[in-house]
Amino acid sequence: MKKIIKILFGLHVFCLMLTFTACENYLEFPPVLEFNEDSVFTQRTNVEKYLSTMYTYNVNQMPFASTRLDRSLLDAASDIGCGYYAQSAYGAHQFNKGTVAAEWVSNNSLGEDRFGYHYKAIRIGWKLLQRTDEVPDATQAQKDRIKGEAKAMIAMHYFELMKRYGGVPLAKKFFVTTEESAIPRSSLEDTYKYIVQLCDEVIAMPDFPAIITDRNDFGRASKAMAMGIKARTLLYMASPLFNSDRPYMDNLGTNSNLICLMKYDKELWKTAADEIKATIDTCELYGMKLTNVGDVTKNFTAAYQYLPSKGNTEIIMPYILTGVYTDYGNFVNWKPRGAPFNGYSSNLPTQNFVEMFQLKDGTYRNWDTDTITPINKPTYPYDNLDPRFKQLIAYNGEVLPELPTATLQIWDAENGNIANGGVNGKRGNAQFAYYLTKYIYGYLNNTSYTSPNQWRPFTPYMRLTEMYLNLAEALNEYYGDEDSKPVADVYARVNTIRARSGMPALNESLINTKAKMRVQIQKERAIELGFEDSRFFDLKRWKMGDTFKGPIYDLKVTKKNNGQYTYKKYIYETRPWFEHYYLHPFPPSEVNKLKGIIQNPGW
């Protein structure tokens, strides 16, 4: 089989023209004159090209200009992030300012989701399942792999729909006519059970790859990926947003089963824990493990950004950008503002995020008290923080390895005797006291396929670190009451992740109840998975909408005439939050023209 990652870009336009030129409805198939279906299924190579199109509809987790959220990472729309407000186009602003429009968020190339894209991928998947056995020059093993990938990707897209919209229309076969495709929303329970069913069918395929071992197949679906989708689905169903006898809003009345289970079932946590552990066990049985390159100052970075050929042993499924890049030009919007960085700060970390990081001894710095540094020691507040901090966040006084002649100077002068921020960057260019460095600096050689000048950016869609934290969460929620001490495996999973970055085990005398462990797991998830599309959806499934409000904090950094720096915490903003934000709206354009689509409450 041709390698999927090698053909995605070149075939994207071809396959779109081939399959979707006249779609007017998210489940409608184009007129036969514009799609010569029979010719596709006469050759294996054509079928592989058709399969590759499914991957082009995956949610874009690395948005550059004119793509999803217009250069914002989704977690910039949570309490841990923001975008530079002077750049009005960044999509995260719509959430942070409370101006989210229904059609924009769910059906716009610059919004958060493209609702119809999921169904376009699902349509391709069902056609592949329907006709791949007819291909004359494909072996049975090749046919089975194509069908396994198609079914796994259908399950993935239904999961992505479910976590955004709740119960959705379930297309369980290939539909041709508009009349057949007018499918009503299924209940949330039916939706999640169907995702589980699809995953089980993939997992049961005896010859479908358990994991991806060929570096050229990096980015293709596997049995482990299907197991992970099943495990994620169950974790979401066990979580407070869905696992409840009361919907987050009452507007739907008897149709509230579209947005919650209308019952609480504690056993869902145990079911989720069992499936998460099965995913971990399968990955580790076939040689995967938490990434460890032997350096506590790099292990965290390696886990989310290095290729398998460079030492990453935990990526179950990546999101890979199409095309090959030769420099950081496409990251110009993510870079720090001001010379010599010359970026636009589309993604910025907040002080709220910084305060989640412990000191290296496992205690927390007191940020509520003003900090005065020793003379000429601007990095003093950050010097002993968790090693993961420096791999995520740039701060005043830091020298970035890729720009050794430049020092970040994010400060205001005590008085007019000193120019604000010096010559290598001005406080006026920095909305916050921090910049985000995840994905930007230090990783070029470790994401290159052939040489440092042949670079293919990717982000993790699913990795073992997430599964360890998912398991810790599910076990913590299942066993005991709020004041019970967590079971040993909860501590073990979290401590294993911390240890690889040089952090001590959790203090069991302090983190000694389910409630306290819940808070700690939430912090660990934010640190490990932040800006990987995790925090935004975590806060929603935990039903912690008020956390989006903040207050959002920052630090005011002042350089004194004597060379000392003061760091003073202040409230930067308090953001709007509305209950109807818990789930996305179905695009009004789809609701207006399709039968059976009941809109989510509040939209």
Side-chain angles (χ1 to χ4, degrees):
M1 176 178 268
K2 300 286 186 184
K3 309 309 181 187
I4 296 297
I5 58 173
K6 292 184 177 180
I7 61 177
L8 279 176
F9 180 72
L11 294 169
H12 180 61
V13 176
F14 163 75
C15 291
L16 289 180
M17 180 179 68
L18 198 70
T19 53
F20 306 123
T21 42
C23 294
E24 297 178 356
N25 165 319
Y26 69 88
L27 290 176
E28 182 184 354
F29 196 68
V32 67
L33 292 177
E34 297 189 19
F35 180 79
N36 190 348
E37 179 183 309
D38 289 337
S39 67
V40 171
F41 291 95
T42 59
Q43 288 186 322
R44 175 176 59 85
T45 54
N46 287 346
V47 176
E48 290 164 357
K49 294 173 184 178
Y50 193 32
L51 172 64
S52 76
T53 312
M54 289 192 77
Y55 289 85
T56 68
Y57 291 111
N58 291 359
V59 175
N60 179 1
Q61 293 183 191
M62 293 195 83
F64 293 147
S66 302
T67 58
R68 180 188 179 220
L69 294 175
D70 205 359
R71 297 157 284 190
S72 293
L73 293 166
L74 182 58
D75 285 348
S78 75
D79 62 319
I80 69 171
C82 191
Y84 192 75
Y85 279 138
Q87 298 292 129
S88 60
Y90 298 152
H93 298 340
Q94 304 304 316
F95 295 95
N96 296 339
K97 294 181 178 181
T99 57
V100 175
E103 194 74 23
W104 172 84
V105 73
S106 300
N107 192 35
N108 188 299
S109 62
L110 302 180
E112 194 285 316
D113 191 38
R114 298 294 298 273
F115 178 77
Y117 274 22
H118 299 291
Y119 284 99
K120 288 180 178 181
I122 289 166
R123 185 190 306 123
I124 295 169
W126 283 122
K127 179 54 63 176
L128 288 164
L129 289 165
Q130 180 188 68
R131 298 203 58 180
T132 294
D133 281 332
E134 303 172 19
V135 181
D137 64 339
T139 67
Q140 192 59 48
Q142 290 167 334
K143 294 175 182 177
D144 288 346
R145 183 163 189 183
I146 291 169
K147 291 188 293 182
E149 286 189 55
K151 188 166 286 188
M153 295 294 285
I154 291 172
M156 184 193 77
H157 278 280
Y158 275 131
F159 167 75
E160 291 296 323
L161 284 162
M162 184 197 77
K163 78 178 185 183
R164 289 172 169 83
Y165 304 96
V168 296
L170 294 176
K172 298 183 179 181
K173 63 177 183 177
F174 186 84
F175 288 102
V176 177
T177 68
T178 303
E179 290 73 27
E180 288 175 306
S181 66
I183 307 170
R185 288 180 70 176
S186 292
S187 70
L188 178 63
E189 184 169 10
D190 287 347
T191 299
Y192 100 79
K193 287 183 176 179
Y194 187 58
I195 298 169
V196 169
Q197 175 189 325
L198 290 171
C199 292
D200 282 339
E201 291 171 4
V202 175
I203 294 165
M205 297 178 69
D207 297 321
F208 193 60
I211 65 171
I212 298 302
T213 55
D214 187 334
R215 60 176 289 185
N216 292 313
D217 284 345
F218 186 58
R220 293 178 62 179
S222 66
K223 193 173 292 188
M225 176 264 212
M227 296 179 75
I229 293 296
K230 178 182 178 181
R232 272 186 181 174
T233 299
L234 292 167
L235 183 74
Y236 267 73
M237 296 315 303
S239 298
L241 180 63
F242 291 152
N243 192 9
S244 174
D245 60 356
R246 289 183 61 85
Y248 62 92
M249 294 181 74
D250 294 328
N251 306 44
L252 298 188
T254 57
N255 291 312
S256 292
N257 64 348
L258 298 173
I259 60 174
C260 78
L261 293 176
M262 297 303 293
K263 60 185 177 183
Y264 174 73
D265 183 0
K266 183 178 180 179
E267 292 302 313
L268 279 170
W269 285 114
K270 181 64 165 60
T271 303
D274 290 344
E275 295 303 328
I276 298 163
K277 188 173 187 304
T279 304
I280 294 170
D281 290 346
T282 295
C283 290
E284 294 181 345
L285 176 66
Y286 287 91
M288 296 184 70
K289 58 185 178 180
L290 292 180
T291 299
N292 191 322
V293 295
D295 185 342
V296 297
T297 68
K298 294 181 180 179
N299 285 334
F300 171 58
T301 297
Y304 69 75
Q305 189 61 41
Y306 286 16
L307 283 167
S309 60
K310 303 293 184 179
N312 192 311
T313 55
E314 69 172 71
I315 300 284
I316 299 171
M317 184 73 177
Y319 170 78
I320 303 176
L321 283 181
T322 56
V324 175
Y325 297 80
T326 58
D327 57 36
Y328 284 112
N330 289 83
F331 281 104
V332 64
N333 295 290
W334 296 12
K335 290 180 179 181
R337 296 178 63 82
F341 312 103
N342 301 318
Y344 297 100
S345 297
S346 58
N347 303 288
L348 296 166
T350 64
Q351 179 66 21
N352 306 53
F353 190 28
V354 172
E355 291 185 19
M356 296 180 187
F357 292 84
Q358 293 177 333
L359 294 164
K360 291 177 182 178
D361 63 3
T363 63
Y364 286 96
R365 179 176 294 285
N366 181 4
W367 295 97
D368 293 328
T369 301
D370 294 357
T371 299
I372 301 177
T373 73
I375 293 173
N376 297 324
K377 287 284 291 182
T379 64
Y380 173 77
Y382 312 105
D383 286 347
N384 291 306
L385 288 179
D386 181 333
R388 293 174 291 186
F389 173 78
K390 192 170 183 177
Q391 297 171 70
L392 271 176
I393 296 173
Y395 47 90
N396 183 45
E398 184 181 13
V399 177
L400 297 173
E402 286 67 37
L403 295 168
T405 61
T407 301
L408 280 176
Q409 299 189 45
I410 309 171
W411 46 266
D412 294 314
E414 183 178 27
N415 57 40
N417 295 332
I418 307 173
N420 292 343
V423 297
N424 289 325
K426 297 178 181 178
R427 171 64 181 177
N429 286 324
Q431 179 169 294
F432 288 158
Y434 307 103
Y435 292 112
L436 185 71
T437 58
K438 191 168 188 175
Y439 309 125
I440 302 176
Y441 292 113
Y443 318 127
L444 187 60
N445 292 348
N446 293 296
T447 57
S448 60
Y449 274 70
T450 57
S451 73
N453 295 320
Q454 295 293 309
W455 180 48
R456 191 184 301 272
F458 72 91
T459 60
Y461 176 74
M462 181 185 296
R463 58 189 177 103
L464 270 179
T465 292
E466 178 206 338
M467 292 299 155
Y468 269 61
L469 292 170
N470 289 355
L471 181 56
E473 178 185 346
L475 292 174
N476 186 58
E477 296 298 334
Y478 181 69
Y479 289 104
D481 57 30
E482 289 294 288
D483 295 323
S484 298
K485 184 174 182 178
V487 297
D489 203 22
V490 175
Y491 291 100
R493 297 293 174 171
V494 176
N495 288 338
T496 299
I497 292 169
R498 290 167 58 88
R500 72 167 172 190
S501 290
M503 289 299 291
L506 295 176
N507 186 333
E508 294 189 28
S509 66
L510 295 178
I511 311 297
N512 57 3
T513 68
K514 174 189 288 193
K516 291 177 180 177
M517 179 60 82
R518 181 184 299 125
V519 172
Q520 189 62 43
I521 289 171
Q522 289 168 354
K523 289 179 180 178
E524 295 290 338
R525 287 185 68 90
I527 291 170
E528 284 284 341
L529 307 176
F531 296 94
E532 294 178 23
D533 273 20
S534 176
R535 181 70 173 178
F536 179 88
F537 288 110
D538 277 348
L539 290 177
K540 289 188 174 188
R541 70 178 177 87
W542 293 329
K543 214 170 181 180
M544 292 173 59
D546 283 349
T547 304
F548 285 98
K549 294 181 180 179
I552 302 302
Y553 291 97
D554 184 33
L555 291 183
K556 178 176 175 58
V557 186
T558 302
K559 183 175 182 179
K560 299 169 72 67
N561 291 344
N562 66 358
Q564 290 181 308
Y565 295 80
T566 62
Y567 291 78
K568 183 179 182 66
K569 181 177 173 180
Y570 70 98
I571 295 176
Y572 180 82
E573 65 180 351
T574 299
R575 296 171 177 171
W577 165 260
F578 306 102
E579 293 297 294
H580 64 276
Y581 278 11
Y582 272 118
L583 289 179
H584 280 13
F586 288 83
S589 57
E590 298 288 356
V591 174
N592 292 339
K593 70 185 178 184
L594 294 174
K595 301 174 184 178
I597 300 296
I598 297 172
Q599 183 61 283
N600 279 330
W603 296 99

